[in-house]
Amino acid sequence: MADSTATSTSVSASTSLTASTTTSVSARAGTAASAATAPEKMKTIYQPFSIPQADGQYFTALIAPGDYTPDYPYIDTPIPDELQDKVVKWDRQLRKWVDSMDDPVAAEINGFKAQNASLIATLATTTENLQAAQKSADTANTAVAALIAKMATDEAAGANK
């Protein structure tokens, strides 16, 4: 165990079974102020994830002392009010909360999927048109061959007269 002047941090978590996933965190920063557990001295920190968890959220909310400074992967940036009713996720590049439905990578993937579906439909139509054109060409070639054969037969008959 480190002495009281060390700047070590220990975190222990226990999950509560409520409608939202909230976890209790006790942090020890080596100061007497961090030992206070009055509700007004507590704050919410978050552990963000890149994929949704079992509850569908991209984060786990944790409660920590008010003077606790979270280290990676934890953050203490509150979720903006305009995103409260949405499924939010922490964007590490932008360093802010974003609507997971507005994820630029997901939007790009969805765009590619839509473009792919459109290209597949166009390919199917083009293939059908090509098959119809080939059938028409085969019919025309058969008619031309029959006409050439008839002309050859007629010439041979005319020469024999």
Side-chain angles (χ1 to χ4, degrees):
M1 215 52 201
D3 65 21
S4 63
T5 60
T7 58
S8 66
T9 304
S10 67
V11 177
S12 66
S14 66
T15 306
S16 68
L17 300 175
T18 60
S20 65
T21 304
T22 304
T23 305
S24 212
V25 172
S26 63
R28 188 172 141 185
T31 64
S34 67
T37 58
E40 62 272 9
K41 303 263 185 183
M42 304 302 278
K43 70 178 180 180
T44 303
I45 62 172
Y46 304 92
Q47 180 181 10
F49 299 100
S50 58
I51 57 172
Q53 301 306 293
D55 64 355
Q57 297 294 329
Y58 286 86
F59 65 90
T60 298
L62 308 163
I63 306 300
D67 63 344
Y68 176 70
T69 303
D71 293 320
Y72 179 84
Y74 302 97
I75 58 170
D76 60 358
T77 305
I79 299 172
D81 291 338
E82 63 269 9
L83 297 176
Q84 288 296 326
D85 295 331
K86 300 182 179 181
V87 179
V88 296
K89 116 186 219 184
W90 179 253
D91 187 320
R92 293 203 183 273
Q93 281 81 24
L94 299 175
R95 301 187 54 79
K96 68 177 189 174
W97 291 103
V98 296
D99 184 354
S100 63
M101 297 302 166
D102 293 339
D103 183 9
V105 174
E108 186 174 15
I109 289 170
N110 290 336
F112 287 145
K113 286 180 179 179
Q115 184 180 19
N116 186 40
S118 172
L119 290 172
I120 287 172
T122 302
L123 177 62
T125 302
T126 304
T127 302
E128 289 174 8
N129 291 341
L130 177 61
Q131 290 171 348
Q134 285 175 337
K135 186 176 180 181
S136 294
D138 290 344
T139 303
N141 286 339
T142 303
V144 168
L147 183 59
I148 291 172
K150 185 174 187 299
M151 287 174 53
T153 309
D154 287 348
E155 269 186 39
N160 290 336
K161 283 189 183 178

